[in-house]
Amino acid sequence: MENLRSKATELLLREEYKPSIQAYTQIISLCQTRIAAKNPDGPHLNKLLCLSFSNRAEARARLSDHTLALTDCEEALRIDDSHFKTLVCKGKILLSLNRYGAALCCFNAANLGPQASENSDLVNGFLEKCKRLEFLSRTGAFDISEWVLSGFRGKSPELAEYIGALDIKKSEISGRGLFATKNVESGTLLFVTKAVAVDRAIMPQDSGENAHLVIWKNFVDKVSDAAGKCSGLTNLIWNLSSGEEDEENTMEVPRIGIFRPEEFDTDSCKKKKKVLDMGRLLSILDANSFLEDSISAKVLGKNADYQGVGLWVLASLINHSCEPNVRRLHVGDHVVVHASRDLRAGEELTFAYFDVLSPLSKRREMARSWGFVCGCKRCKFEENLGCKHETREMEILMMGGKGGVDMGGVVYRLEEGMRRWGVRGRGKGYLRGSFWEAYSKVFGSEKVMRKWWRKIPEGEAVVDSVVDAVGSDERVVKVYLEGLKRGGSGGGGGGGGINGVVEMEKAMKLARGVYGKVMKKHALRSFIHFGE
């Protein structure tokens, strides 16, 4: 027994976790057999049994096998409910599962034990971390300003999982969707969730298909491994859509509460574990995983060649629309989702699965590559517009114009066309968004602006209509800021200048629609290079 114990301890210290688990399993079996036989060394065996359960829990936790690790912790605490090492181990596991309240209880209990005084710094550190993350999980008061101002140096900020005023309901778009339960303004944080799994790599532009396949294979293996260790997670993934239209309309609408870590195990794990075969898993990941591109990498602090793919279950319930109202940022393994324009209570949250500042024909092509046909209000409006041949001619001019086409003429023709067609309100924003490439080139050229500025609307009016229709976007914010730098109101002249309070506040609101309210003003201004 002593030789086996020494071997198990050595394996654990050498971080050979699987062999150490096997060794501790043997010790546990021997101890239980001897205790059952009323061995006179019962008290000593009980102590050894408790320590073996605790150390096996530590090894299993290092392999991210949290379900079995927690079971071992419970067995150890059944023998000694004040066992310091087990309480700390259980607290760390619960903390990694974002169950902050339960973790706090473990660390508080450990802090009352006889070994607390000699490990006070360790326990107090965990207590402070739990309290901080529990506060963030409850309030959503995130602030990544210092990290942004440092140029993304060092580790990314520690984020907690958070869910705001949201609910899950049947969607008129497809299957199920997330809905706002109260009015929120642009930039408002809606939820923060951690990835089930993510795989990343530096991918130079000349990377071949094989490099992308390696990332995908590693990602699939990670998801499969995580699901295999937790029946509740398997059930959550199994209930995601595999992309089949008929399936979407019959799938269960889950409670929003099961996505809150404190409720996850008590709900999802009670249900019978689903069978998640590899074929279904691949279909689910193909339909629900998110790519991290160079824009996402900005907030990860990586370079433009950085790419990754991950699965965030709650975020995958958000449907596509060509007039999206939310955006996401990637910070570490968390995805941060916020409103990109003002939202009404009861409105469904929608992402842009592809670039929606594109003409209708291009958006249809991109939607087909995703395996669906978009039927949002914007697509229907443009489809039913009784002048499609004219807009198609303008689109061909815009897409084919490498330098010989006067984009001012394209914009003028579109604006005159909208006047003749009776297009008003949000319809103008839809069409201006579809021809954004032409507008951005006009507002980005002083020469073109001098030629056309009396014949086309001010940049500020165009920016307002596009943001109202499709939400904030980096390219839209850039046009507004460049207009301010020239001394005008977003590209059209006549404003109060870059130092004007109104213009500054408007620029901040547009930027918050892109990056959310997770940065204070000074960090946001630095991030978008405001005023350069």
Side-chain angles (χ1 to χ4, degrees):
M1 184 85 80
E2 287 301 322
N3 287 339
L4 195 54
R5 178 184 173 183
S6 296
K7 176 186 175 184
T9 303
E10 182 183 348
L11 290 168
L12 183 62
L13 291 173
R14 282 163 44 186
E15 299 182 0
E16 296 181 33
Y17 298 121
K18 288 185 178 180
S20 76
I21 289 170
Q22 293 171 353
Y24 282 119
T25 299
Q26 285 182 271
I27 296 173
I28 289 166
S29 178
L30 286 170
C31 286
Q32 288 173 331
T33 300
R34 294 186 182 186
I35 291 169
K38 301 189 184 307
N39 189 290
D41 288 332
H44 172 72
L45 289 171
N46 267 320
K47 186 176 179 181
L48 178 58
L49 183 61
C50 178
L51 184 60
S52 298
F53 274 124
S54 183
N55 285 342
R56 191 170 73 172
E58 181 74 31
R60 283 174 163 167
R62 295 298 183 93
L63 294 174
S64 299
D65 198 344
H66 298 126
T67 301
L68 289 178
L70 285 174
T71 300
D72 279 346
C73 287
E74 293 303 322
E75 291 294 333
L77 293 173
R78 191 173 287 116
I79 300 167
D80 180 359
D81 61 6
S82 62
H83 193 254
F84 179 83
K85 186 174 183 179
T86 304
L87 288 168
V88 172
C89 179
K90 183 180 178 182
K92 290 192 295 184
I93 295 167
L94 292 169
L95 188 56
S96 70
L97 294 173
N98 304 309
R99 294 167 61 184
Y100 315 112
L104 197 58
C105 290
C106 288
F107 293 126
N108 277 325
N111 208 27
L112 297 174
Q115 295 183 51
S117 58
E118 56 193 80
N119 296 280
S120 59
D121 289 345
L122 172 72
V123 178
N124 288 332
F126 281 123
L127 282 169
E128 288 303 313
K129 183 176 180 179
C130 277
K131 290 174 183 176
R132 183 176 69 254
L133 294 177
E134 189 277 332
F135 173 77
L136 291 174
S137 179
R138 183 165 37 85
T139 63
F142 297 87
D143 182 9
I144 63 171
S145 298
E146 294 304 315
W147 188 54
V148 171
L149 290 171
S150 73
F152 307 105
R153 285 188 291 274
K155 290 179 64 177
S156 58
E158 281 190 309
L159 302 183
E161 294 213 307
Y162 164 78
I163 299 176
L166 300 176
D167 199 6
I168 305 171
K169 299 178 185 177
K170 283 286 186 182
S171 167
E172 293 183 0
I173 299 173
S174 177
R176 305 150 304 176
L178 285 177
F179 292 78
T181 58
K182 68 177 185 180
N183 296 339
V184 297
E185 66 176 13
S186 179
T188 299
L189 182 65
L190 297 169
F191 67 89
V192 179
T193 185
K194 191 175 181 180
V196 171
V198 63
D199 196 71
R200 305 180 176 109
I202 300 296
M203 300 289 287
Q205 291 183 355
D206 58 351
S207 297
E209 185 179 350
N210 286 340
H212 292 273
L213 288 174
V214 168
I215 289 183
W216 178 255
K217 182 185 181 303
N218 291 341
F219 167 61
V220 172
D221 289 344
K222 287 180 179 180
V223 175
S224 179
D225 183 57
K229 293 171 179 174
C230 178
S231 60
L233 182 57
T234 300
N235 291 343
L236 280 183
I237 296 173
W238 193 91
N239 281 310
L240 291 175
S241 169
S242 61
E244 298 293 331
E245 188 174 348
D246 293 340
E247 176 193 51
E248 280 278 5
N249 298 321
T250 59
M251 298 195 79
E252 172 191 357
V253 178
R255 292 187 310 105
I256 189 73
I258 68 168
F259 292 95
R260 293 188 169 93
E262 298 292 345
E263 297 185 43
F264 173 71
D265 281 349
T266 58
D267 188 304
S268 191
C269 290
K270 286 181 180 178
K271 298 179 181 178
K272 184 179 178 181
K273 184 176 180 179
K274 304 289 188 181
V275 177
L276 190 62
D277 61 85
M278 186 54 69
R280 179 170 176 79
L281 177 61
L282 289 172
S283 296
I284 287 172
L285 294 181
D286 188 48
N288 294 280
S289 55
F290 288 143
L291 295 176
E292 291 179 339
D293 54 19
S294 58
I295 292 176
S296 305
K298 258 194 240 176
V299 183
L300 281 159
K302 306 292 182 181
N303 61 37
D305 292 334
Y306 179 93
Q307 289 187 19
V309 59
L311 176 65
W312 292 265
V313 178
L314 184 59
S316 68
L317 294 176
I318 300 179
N319 285 306
H320 166 82
S321 173
C322 291
E323 48 171 351
N325 51 33
V326 301
R327 288 177 64 95
R328 72 180 193 266
L329 299 175
H330 294 258
V331 180
D333 286 349
H334 289 80
V335 69
V336 180
V337 176
H338 64 270
S340 61
R341 56 181 171 83
D342 296 346
L343 282 172
R344 302 182 309 277
E347 188 173 350
E348 181 175 358
L349 276 54
T350 52
F351 271 145
Y353 286 9
F354 43 76
D355 184 8
V356 293
L357 292 183
S358 304
L360 178 62
S361 61
K362 182 66 174 176
R363 300 201 310 273
R364 280 178 168 169
E365 180 185 324
M366 291 185 285
R368 279 195 297 272
S369 71
W370 277 80
F372 68 91
V373 176
C374 183
C376 71
K377 290 180 180 177
R378 178 183 174 192
C379 286
K380 288 178 180 177
F381 170 82
E382 293 185 51
E383 172 63 30
N384 296 328
L385 204 61
C387 51
K388 284 183 285 188
H389 64 286
E390 291 185 63
T391 55
R392 182 60 182 156
E393 286 176 8
M394 287 182 255
E395 179 187 329
I396 292 170
L397 278 174
M398 178 180 71
M399 302 305 287
K402 297 295 183 182
V405 175
D406 185 347
M407 289 297 176
V410 175
V411 169
Y412 174 74
R413 185 175 171 184
L414 179 64
E415 291 291 333
E416 282 297 297
M418 288 193 289
R419 183 180 60 78
R420 286 187 286 106
W421 307 326
V423 175
R424 295 181 176 83
R426 184 164 283 192
K428 286 188 175 182
Y430 292 156
L431 290 173
R432 287 167 173 169
S434 294
F435 285 85
W436 180 255
E437 183 176 339
Y439 282 95
S440 63
K441 287 181 178 177
V442 170
F443 293 131
S445 168
E446 291 189 23
K447 179 180 178 182
V448 177
M449 281 295 295
R450 281 196 299 270
K451 178 179 178 181
W452 291 98
W453 73 274
R454 291 184 180 276
K455 299 177 181 178
I456 60 176
E458 290 187 355
E460 184 175 10
V462 172
V463 164
D464 286 344
S465 65
V466 171
V467 169
D468 181 59
V470 300
S472 285
D473 182 277
E474 288 94 340
R475 292 161 292 179
V476 178
V477 175
K478 181 181 178 183
V479 162
Y480 184 78
L481 292 175
E482 287 176 346
L484 292 182
K485 293 169 193 174
R486 289 195 297 266
S489 286
I498 194 167
N499 294 317
V501 174
V502 175
E503 287 88 347
M504 184 183 295
E505 285 302 316
K506 181 166 183 176
M508 288 296 101
K509 182 171 182 179
L510 290 173
R512 283 198 190 98
V514 178
Y515 304 110
K517 295 181 179 180
V518 292
M519 304 179 208
K520 292 180 180 176
K521 281 187 179 180
H522 62 292
L524 188 58
R525 290 175 66 178
S526 169
F527 190 51
I528 62 174
H529 305 294
F530 186 81
E532 286 188 3

